[in-house]
Amino acid sequence: MTDVDLRKLRYFVAVAEELHFGRAAERLHIAQPVLSRQIRALEHELGAQLFARTKRATELTAAGRQLLEDARPLISSAEALRRRVAQAARGPRTFTIGFMPGITVTPAVRAFEALRPDIEVEVLRTTTFDQVQVLYDGRADVSVVRLPIEQRGLSIRPLFEEPRLAILPADHRLAGKPSVDIGDLADEHLMQHPDQVPEWRDIAVEPRSGRSRRFSEVSSVEEKLEHVASGRGISILPLSVARFYQRADVSAVPVNDLAPNKISLAWLASRRSRAIQEFAALAGTVDWVMTR
């Protein structure tokens, strides 16, 4: 079998994510017949049908699902390689630290700059959806992440933990309480994926009632707070995030029986960078009190 063309893989991923050749072609800015030919060529190269096509739908086959799982990290690795080579060509050497909202990386940045004055340190704000992806695609060398995350292929170093709070509309029946139990929130609508708060997911009324509401994907803290303030639901946020994004139209209430949020440093286990190892060792000694 000939080597698989990364361009064809990118085309395949677009179709697999859209499950529609027309929309995928628009996303890729190419003609639909060209896209169809490229996918057929990829299927021929792999000796497997990737999509089951009918007049009404396009679906992934078992082979297609497997290729999608394997193609995404391969494409990300290729993009990361391109970024690192371009960075090396530009000089001076840079080191990028990803970080989630509410987390202050300043103490670690200053300590690392003192240790490695030859390296220019940059920071990159991430979200729940890309805090790990920035490592795979080369945008960041290390990422300060909020667990849980998919840890396959990563090295993880625990840093600290912090409580999580319920974020409620200011006029909510529980707003202003000294604290609540997770059971007090069982009949609320959660403005984030239930798996992010398993304590709520396991007792929640809405998923079992058949009246579960769906909103468009909410990725940023600012969007979550807008929805909460409008009375559309509640959110669970770490203490540092709740403090950083204080506003008069929402109330942050401690939740007694929620496990703390765990913050860790993550990097690709396959990378043998001296700078990454030095930063990882340093991060374990930094006082993260500014974030609490």
Side-chain angles (χ1 to χ4, degrees), residues 17-232:
E17 291 178 345
E18 299 290 345
L19 290 179
H20 190 283
F21 276 77
R23 288 195 298 269
E26 290 179 6
R27 170 175 155 182
L28 294 164
H29 305 292
I30 62 174
Q32 184 173 335
V34 173
L35 177 59
S36 297
R37 286 197 297 271
Q38 292 295 314
I39 295 300
R40 285 197 297 271
L42 179 60
E43 289 178 322
H44 178 73
E45 291 172 9
L46 296 174
Q49 183 179 354
L50 303 174
F51 296 99
R53 308 174 185 87
T54 68
K55 291 183 178 180
R56 301 181 63 180
T58 298
E59 297 180 352
L60 283 166
T61 63
R65 289 191 294 273
Q66 182 62 56
L67 181 60
L68 181 60
E69 180 180 338
D70 293 335
R72 281 171 168 156
L74 183 60
I75 292 171
S76 292
S77 294
E79 179 62 18
L81 183 150
R82 185 195 65 78
R83 287 177 187 272
R84 288 196 288 267
V85 170
Q87 184 183 90
R90 288 194 304 268
R93 187 178 177 188
T94 62
F95 186 86
T96 302
I97 305 165
F99 68 99
M100 285 285 284
I103 297 173
T104 303
V105 295
T106 306
V109 169
R110 287 179 173 174
F112 190 63
E113 286 177 333
L115 177 68
R116 294 294 303 271
D118 58 312
I119 295 179
E120 181 179 326
V121 180
E122 298 180 351
V123 294
L124 173 67
R125 184 184 184 277
T126 62
T127 70
T128 301
F129 303 102
D130 70 356
Q131 60 175 335
V132 172
Q133 183 59 32
V134 296
L135 299 173
Y136 291 126
D137 63 23
R139 283 181 286 162
D141 295 284
V142 298
S143 186
V144 184
V145 299
R146 294 190 183 276
L147 303 183
I149 59 171
E150 171 55 59
Q151 298 189 19
R152 182 175 57 179
L154 300 179
S155 292
I156 302 291
R157 173 156 295 180
L159 297 177
F160 65 98
E161 298 180 353
E162 61 176 338
R164 292 185 291 167
L165 286 70
I167 310 301
L168 314 170
D171 59 355
H172 192 278
R173 61 187 171 83
L174 299 174
K177 293 278 189 181
S179 66
V180 297
D181 294 329
I182 194 64
D184 297 326
L185 307 173
D187 60 352
E188 301 289 342
H189 175 65
L190 190 67
M191 296 303 309
Q192 59 208 98
H193 196 288
D195 288 346
Q196 294 178 12
V197 192
E199 298 95 337
W200 178 88
R201 178 199 62 203
D202 294 342
I203 64 167
V205 172
E206 186 179 88
R208 295 165 176 78
S209 67
R211 59 179 177 86
S212 182
R213 292 176 289 162
R214 294 181 62 86
F215 292 99
S216 57
E217 198 72 70
V218 178
S219 60
S220 72
V221 176
E222 293 87 349
E223 289 171 336
K224 287 186 178 77
L225 292 177
E226 286 296 331
H227 284 302
V228 171
S230 299
R232 296 180 178 179

